[in-house]
Amino acid sequence: MTRRLNAVGMSLALAAVASLPLSVQAQGRPDLVSQSLRDASRTYVPDELIIQFRRDVSESAKEGALRAVAGRLHDELLSAASRRDGRGDLHVARLAPGLTVPAALQALARHPAIDFVEPNWILRRQDLSNDKYYTSGQLWGMFGDDASLTQNNSFGSQAAEAWASKGTGCGSVVVAVIDEGYMITHPELAPNVWTNPGEVAGNGVDDDGNGLIDDVNGWDFAGNNNSVFDGVGDDHGTHVAGTIGGVGGNSAGVAGMCWSIKMIAVKFLGSSGGTTANAIKSVDYVTDLKTRHGLNLVATNNSWGGGGFSQGLQDAITRAGDADILFMAAAGNSGINTDFSPHYPSSYDNANIISVASIEKTGAISGFSNFGATSVDLGAPGGDIWSTVPRRFVRFPNGYNSYSGTSMATPHVTGAAAMYSARNGGTAAQIKAAILGTAVPTPSLAGKTVTGGRLDVSSF
């Protein structure tokens, strides 16, 4: 049950773009970038490129490359000096007014100073729009099939059975919610908010030396500040966080997969989505936190996607994998077979990715959910999922709401990884193998996911 690119689909993709003049440097994936640019549903920042220079090129060579598009460096994503993979500086470049991204890509395609160049894709969240919601039967994603329990649904994650047999907490495990921020003051989430052990809150100093001042609970890469909850449009990240780590047993609201856990808030999405450049920063930030502080950080939750292929983002996910971090990815909500029409980032073939489809409480795959026998790993509850939302929203006065989407399925699997790690330890590869190896065969997922099954944490 290993992830791999579908050979037939890739051959078709290569044939479809063979006649296109647009290209990028061969070390990247010019075929996939070109194909993505032809898809009107994939959008990008209209005046920016992501450029990775070769390791030892001179500053004058970099300037020569930028002159080809009358551009300028705008933002450094990663410096060669800080990298362990022997590769060069990774930058965002601004283009001259009036120059289009396709034209700039063509101009820089084979420049000797450049490793790869690609659009700065726009990424978006993947939702559709004795705890109260558990005892009322609404929190079906946490249910199991044990008839002795108060609530039952065989298509739930079986979390209730795992709670009953081995407890409800996930100990010292840390996960990162890479999203649009979450309400860290929500009563169901506040006890499980991560605090940076290397920072002194409010002193205006970068105590841990990562270049970010007072990143006490995480960082906002969209706003470039430490405000991980802006109160506008942060319902999605708050909903995701509640499914992973909503406090249970308090007779109010919902319960997450892990009743105790620590969640890092990493914000890069805003009301209009987020950029690939900021997604790269977010993933690398979490990787650096783990290596810098020795955190027991097992996974990131990534309930977003929709841009085209990005070598830069795939490389960041690889760096996370090298640090033993799983990358949980929403499979997407277009109802398509991603073996043939890839959805990124869930369709990258990195070994540390788990791509998650959505199922309904009946066991059916959700009509909106993407699928793929080689590109989507398993299904998890994603239809009509109740979780936390910001309490001060007028439309959500009680701080809870129901959403559907592969965004809602993914945090069930992130919580499962934390649960397994807390009880059994293990590497990222071992945790992934446990999650996929215990998936329950499900007719609606047969031939549509790698495992042909759905999440089951009852043995964790």
Side-chain angles (χ1 to χ4, degrees):
M1 294 185 293
T2 57
R3 295 180 61 83
R4 62 181 178 84
L5 292 175
N6 182 279
V8 175
M10 190 57 62
S11 297
L12 292 173
L14 288 166
V17 300
S19 61
L20 290 177
L22 181 61
S23 183
V24 295
Q25 194 68 20
Q27 284 80 357
R29 297 300 301 272
D31 53 309
L32 297 181
V33 173
S34 300
Q35 184 182 38
S36 294
L37 284 167
R38 299 175 65 182
D39 183 348
S41 69
R42 303 184 194 270
T43 58
Y44 47 83
V45 181
D47 62 346
E48 292 184 354
L49 292 177
I50 294 176
I51 300 176
Q52 182 164 292
F53 293 102
R54 294 188 185 278
R55 177 77 183 196
D56 296 318
V57 299
S58 65
E59 291 302 314
S60 62
K62 294 180 183 178
E63 292 170 2
L66 293 171
R67 280 197 299 271
V69 292
R72 59 183 175 84
L73 295 182
H74 171 64
D75 191 12
E76 182 181 79
L77 302 181
L78 202 61
S79 69
S82 68
R83 303 183 69 154
R84 301 179 181 181
D85 56 8
R87 304 178 77 177
D89 296 328
L90 185 64
H91 284 275
V92 176
R94 284 274 170 85
L95 303 178
L99 182 63
T100 67
V101 166
L105 285 170
Q106 188 172 31
L108 295 177
R110 294 176 178 83
H111 196 284
I114 290 175
D115 187 4
F116 67 79
V117 57
E118 60 193 26
N120 191 5
W121 300 105
I122 299 294
L123 306 170
R124 304 186 189 281
R125 62 194 224 180
Q126 297 294 304
D127 70 324
L128 302 172
S129 211
N130 60 13
D131 296 285
K132 175 182 175 183
Y133 292 96
Y134 183 86
T135 58
S136 67
Q138 292 169 283
L139 206 63
W140 74 271
M142 302 295 168
F143 295 167
D145 52 12
D146 187 339
S148 68
L149 297 176
T150 305
Q151 300 291 343
N152 300 279
N153 187 312
S154 61
F155 298 108
S157 66
Q158 314 291 309
E161 294 185 18
W163 299 338
S165 63
K166 296 184 180 179
T168 59
C170 293
S172 61
V173 173
V174 181
V175 299
V177 180
I178 300 179
D179 209 284
E180 58 180 18
Y182 74 85
M183 188 179 193
I184 60 176
T185 58
H186 195 295
E188 300 265 38
L189 302 177
N192 290 335
V193 174
W194 171 82
T195 299
N196 188 339
E199 284 290 332
V200 177
N203 69 349
V205 176
D206 175 21
D207 298 290
D208 67 354
N210 66 354
L212 306 175
I213 296 174
D214 287 341
D215 57 320
V216 176
N217 305 122
W219 193 257
D220 176 359
F221 288 98
N224 195 30
N225 58 55
N226 69 347
S227 177
V228 295
F229 176 73
D230 298 330
V232 179
D234 293 353
D235 54 314
H236 183 265
T238 303
H239 197 280
V240 165
T243 297
I244 298 170
V247 175
N250 56 4
S251 300
V254 299
M257 295 287 291
C258 295
W259 295 12
S260 62
I261 190 173
K262 293 303 174 186
M263 296 182 288
I264 305 172
V266 187
K267 179 178 172 64
F268 87 99
L269 295 172
S271 58
S272 300
T275 67
T276 298
N278 284 336
I280 292 169
K281 289 182 182 180
S282 297
V283 176
D284 280 336
Y285 169 68
V286 173
T287 302
D288 179 69
L289 282 177
K290 178 169 185 175
T291 57
R292 184 180 297 269
H293 298 301
L295 301 179
N296 185 22
L297 199 161
V298 300
T300 62
N301 191 94
N302 305 277
S303 291
W304 43 270
F309 175 87
S310 166
Q311 187 67 56
L313 181 54
Q314 186 176 31
D315 288 348
I317 297 169
T318 298
R319 291 189 288 273
D322 291 341
D324 222 25
I325 301 172
L326 289 167
F327 186 96
M328 307 305 191
N333 298 337
S334 300
I336 61 173
N337 186 337
T338 54
D339 288 351
F340 298 95
S341 299
H343 169 272
Y344 300 110
S346 62
S347 289
Y348 294 126
D349 60 348
N350 299 57
N352 61 318
I353 291 178
I354 297 182
S355 176
V356 187
S358 170
I359 63 170
E360 302 292 326
K361 64 182 67 176
T362 61
I365 187 170
S366 301
F368 54 77
S369 181
N370 289 350
F371 57 92
T374 63
S375 57
V376 178
D377 290 301
L378 80 169
D384 191 23
I385 301 301
W386 281 89
S387 188
T388 47
V389 292
R391 297 183 76 192
R392 65 192 185 91
F393 279 24
V394 174
R395 64 186 187 277
F396 309 134
N398 297 319
Y400 307 96
N401 199 40
S402 171
Y403 290 163
S404 296
T406 53
S407 275
M408 285 62 251
T410 305
H412 285 91
V413 182
T414 301
M419 184 182 292
Y420 184 89
S421 176
R423 297 169 178 181
N424 305 285
T427 65
Q430 289 168 336
I431 296 169
K432 178 175 178 177
I435 290 172
L436 301 192
T438 56
V440 178
T442 305
S444 70
L445 299 170
K448 291 190 173 183
T449 63
V450 172
T451 63
R454 65 184 186 274
L455 180 68
D456 182 347
V457 300
S458 59
S459 64
F460 287 8

